[in-house]
């Protein structure tokens, strides 16, 4: 069984009660929990990934450039936590792609540029923006979402909230940048928007 989601989706914990021989989880916190507190023996860490045939550096067409170009972008559902983070930076040139829950009526509606992007359109989106911001789900305790690998595969500059899992796959400051709070997020956005060579070096690493 592959549990390719965060801890918050364990629900009634059917993954524990179903008697699987092997469980592969994307969050090391879930792996450790199952190893320490259940008799499951075949529990392993298996990170998310990207498809290099899809998530790759791509030169956007002029039309795609007009559609996706901005200083900061994200492609994700506007959950409460994510919207709270993004509302703090809504004074930046920000474009948001993805689903907007029907309950959301906040200021980010003006920043919502369109629905879900996938395939070449996601690659064009990530390659047209100067910064891709990645807000992990709050119960992503020690794992990463697919977006972390997709943005990296596209050769985008990615700014992601800090997680123990990042160092397992990336080198902060070399091929990815992290933020630990809203103040640091704003500081790093301003810094890398003002320092193009440093931003490009990290994006291209």
């Amino acid at each position: 069984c592959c549990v390719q989601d965060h801890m918050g989706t364990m629900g009634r914990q059917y993954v524990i009660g179903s008697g699987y021989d092997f469980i592969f989880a994307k969050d090391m916190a879930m792996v450790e929990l199952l190893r320490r507190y259940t008799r499951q023996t075949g529990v392993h860490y298996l990170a998310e990934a990207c498809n290099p045939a899809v998530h790759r550096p791509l030169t956007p067409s002029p039309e795609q450039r007009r559609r996706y170009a901005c200083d900061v972008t994200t492609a994700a559902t506007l959950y409460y936590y994510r919207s709270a983070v993004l509302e703090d930076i809504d004074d930046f040139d920000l474009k948001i792609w993805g689903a907007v829950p029907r309950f959301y009526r906040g200021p980010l509606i003006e920043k919502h540029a369109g629905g879900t992007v996938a395939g070449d359109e996601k690659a064009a989106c990530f390659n047209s923006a100067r910064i891709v911001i990645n807000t992990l789900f709050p119960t992503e305790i020690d794992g990463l979402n697919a977006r972390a690998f997709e943005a990296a595969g596209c050769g985008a500059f990615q700014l992601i909230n800090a997680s123990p899992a990042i160092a397992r796959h990336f080198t902060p400051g070399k091929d990815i940048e992290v933020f630990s709070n809203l103040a640091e997020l704003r500081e790093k956005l301003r810094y890398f928007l003002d320092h193009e060579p440093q931003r490009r070096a990290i994006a291209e690493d």
Side-chain angles (χ1 to χ4, degrees), residues 91-92 183 185-195:
D91 54 323
F92 285 82
L185 170 60
R186 294 184 63 85
E187 178 185 339
K188 288 196 172 182
L189 284 174
R190 290 196 189 98
Y191 177 84
F192 285 105
L193 290 173
D194 290 341
H195 294 79

Side-chain angles (χ1 to χ4, degrees), residues 1 14 16 42 61 66 85 104 106 112 117 128 138 151 156 160 189 194:
C1 171
Y14 291 135
I16 299 173
S61 68
R66 284 191 296 271
V85 174
Y104 185 78
H112 185 248
V117 289
S128 297
I160 185 172
L189 284 174
D194 290 341

Side-chain angles (χ1 to χ4, degrees), residues 12 32 43 46 49 53 60 67 79 84 97 104 109 128 134 141 146 148 151 160 163 183-185 189 196 200:
R12 297 183 179 181
E32 292 178 355
V43 185
L46 180 63
R67 179 172 170 81
Y79 297 120
W97 302 88
Y104 185 78
I109 293 296
S128 297
N134 187 358
I141 299 170
I160 185 172
S163 164
E184 187 177 22
L185 170 60
L189 284 174
E196 188 72 7
R200 285 190 174 275

Side-chain angles (χ1 to χ4, degrees), residues 19-91:
Y20 292 110
D21 293 323
F22 296 97
I23 298 174
F24 297 89
K26 61 170 270 183
D27 194 317
M28 197 63 197
M30 189 183 300
V31 172
E32 292 178 355
L33 179 121
L34 295 179
R35 285 177 177 173
R36 291 168 61 189
Y37 296 109
T38 76
R39 293 184 178 181
Q40 300 277 359
T41 56
V43 185
H44 305 279
Y45 175 74
L46 180 63
E48 297 246 41
C50 71
N51 181 346
V54 176
H55 308 108
R56 67 201 190 283
L58 177 149
T59 301
S61 68
E63 181 181 344
Q64 288 172 324
R65 184 72 70 182
R66 284 191 296 271
R67 179 172 170 81
Y68 297 119
C70 59
D71 285 344
V72 185
T73 197
T74 193
T77 301
L78 271 182
Y79 297 120
Y80 282 124
Y81 165 75
R82 182 168 291 128
S83 62
V85 174
L86 296 177
E87 283 175 8
D88 197 68
I89 60 167
D90 69 350
D91 54 323

Side-chain angles (χ1 to χ4, degrees), residues 144 148-149 152 158 165-172 175-176:
L144 298 176
F149 301 98
Q158 181 178 181
I166 292 171
R168 201 174 293 127
H169 304 282
F170 301 100
T171 303
D175 48 25
I176 200 169

